[in-house]
Amino acid sequence: MPPTFVLVHGAFANSFSFAPLQAELGLLGHRSVAVDLPGHGFAATYPRAYQAPQDLGGLATAPGAIRSVTLADNAAHLIGTLERAKRNGPVILVSHSRGGMTATVAANQRPDLIDRIVYVSAWCPVDLHVGAYYAEPEMATVDTTGLASAMVGNPAELGLLRSNFRTADPDVLAALKAAFLADGTDEEFMVFLNTFQPDENLDVGTPDDRAQPDSWGRIPRTYVRLTEDTSVPLAMQDRMIREGDALTPENPYDVRTLTSSHLKWLVDPAPAARVLGDIAALLPA
């Protein structure tokens, strides 16, 4: 039977961002499902204070549904989707950015549900806890000022991360564009920015949530490098590939490369769809 691509979004994103990619995959004859992790998509919170005219004071204190969501919750939700998809044939799990953390935990727990795992400039911690990588030299070029400037409220009090993506501050918008979609037009950037949701969960798991050789390590895997990514720099992507290969040298990454920023591959998805189609052809007949 043909495989099902299960697509997992990154931080502040949702299944909506995969719609153009799913259209391209469908036109190539591939089946796919995009997952909304808990507190995302139509389960997200958009406080009235987020609307125009904005009430930044209210936005800083309004409760959010994602407050209690953990990485374990994300993984359990994803596993439920993988179980359903697996009933229909092989499953290719594709994750982007922060979604790689959820995909890795799911692979640690249920490798039997995944026929191939694909990371698209996604986090797959091996040697370090994911938070520790941010202090490593490969992340030194990352400019976090855009996202930091957009943050609203105290995460410790809110129990979540909240960003005001509806800001009109030109400096913040320019920094966000440089971080996520420098190779896109201003119009493309504004459209994508308006698909983001304001809230993201805080939990990034523990060192036990790193890739495990006896479970995650036995799944055939691919890493799709994004050469123009300044949020997860190419040097960090390559480091994660090296660490994964060292963990299970008998099962190294199949490595592909796209010329893309962190988000351009989703705005212009035809090249990515072709790469994913080629990856699907790697499954045993």
Side-chain angles (χ1 to χ4, degrees):
M1 298 181 68
T4 300
F5 289 99
V6 176
L7 311 172
V8 184
H9 61 78
F12 299 103
N14 46 57
S15 64
F16 309 155
S17 59
F18 287 121
L21 176 62
Q22 288 188 278
E24 288 292 333
L25 287 171
L27 291 171
L28 293 175
H30 300 294
R31 184 170 54 197
S32 67
V33 57
V35 177
D36 277 311
L37 296 176
H40 292 78
F42 285 106
T45 298
Y46 283 78
R48 288 189 178 272
Y50 193 53
Q51 301 300 117
Q54 289 193 310
D55 173 7
L56 294 181
L59 184 60
T61 58
I66 209 169
R67 176 186 176 95
S68 60
V69 172
T70 65
L71 180 59
D73 294 328
N74 286 342
H77 180 81
L78 175 56
I79 287 171
T81 300
L82 294 172
E83 288 175 335
R84 294 178 64 188
K86 187 67 173 174
R87 298 171 193 162
N88 300 312
V91 171
I92 300 175
L93 177 57
V94 181
S95 62
H96 177 228
S97 193
R98 198 178 198 244
M101 295 154 51
T102 298
T104 300
V105 175
N108 282 339
Q109 296 179 9
R110 293 297 306 274
D112 57 301
L113 298 176
I114 306 165
D115 293 273
R116 179 168 286 270
I117 188 167
V118 180
Y119 294 87
V120 183
S121 192
W123 286 100
C124 182
V126 174
D127 289 353
L128 302 175
H129 177 251
V130 68
Y133 284 104
Y134 280 87
E136 293 296 289
E138 292 87 352
M139 296 295 285
T141 60
V142 175
D143 183 359
T144 61
T145 57
L147 191 57
S149 298
M151 297 297 291
V152 177
N154 184 335
E157 295 175 359
L158 287 171
L160 50 83
L161 297 171
R162 175 164 289 159
S163 292
N164 180 17
F165 293 118
R166 291 181 177 163
T167 179
D169 186 315
D171 293 334
V172 175
L173 291 173
L176 289 172
K177 183 176 187 297
F180 297 123
L181 193 56
D183 50 356
T185 67
D186 290 345
E187 290 75 16
E188 288 170 339
F189 167 69
M190 291 304 297
V191 170
F192 212 115
L193 192 67
N194 278 278
T195 70
F196 281 168
Q197 58 188 62
D199 293 352
E200 185 53 72
N201 67 301
L202 282 171
D203 184 42
V204 294
T206 72
D208 291 337
D209 295 311
R210 294 176 293 172
Q212 302 299 315
D214 295 334
S215 48
W216 173 90
R218 71 173 193 253
I219 303 170
R221 60 182 184 263
T222 295
Y223 203 102
V224 181
R225 303 159 74 246
L226 302 182
T227 61
E228 310 307 304
D229 195 338
T230 59
S231 295
V232 183
L234 191 60
M236 179 53 75
Q237 298 173 53
D238 288 341
R239 174 170 173 171
M240 286 188 280
I241 293 168
R242 291 194 304 271
E243 289 183 357
D245 289 353
L247 185 68
T248 57
E250 72 286 354
N251 180 30
Y253 276 106
D254 160 61
V255 180
R256 311 295 175 107
T257 301
L258 289 170
T259 302
S260 171
S261 64
H262 199 61
L263 297 178
K264 184 65 172 178
W265 70 286
L266 294 169
V267 175
D268 180 17
R274 290 192 294 269
V275 167
L276 290 175
D278 291 342
I279 291 168
L282 297 176
L283 295 183

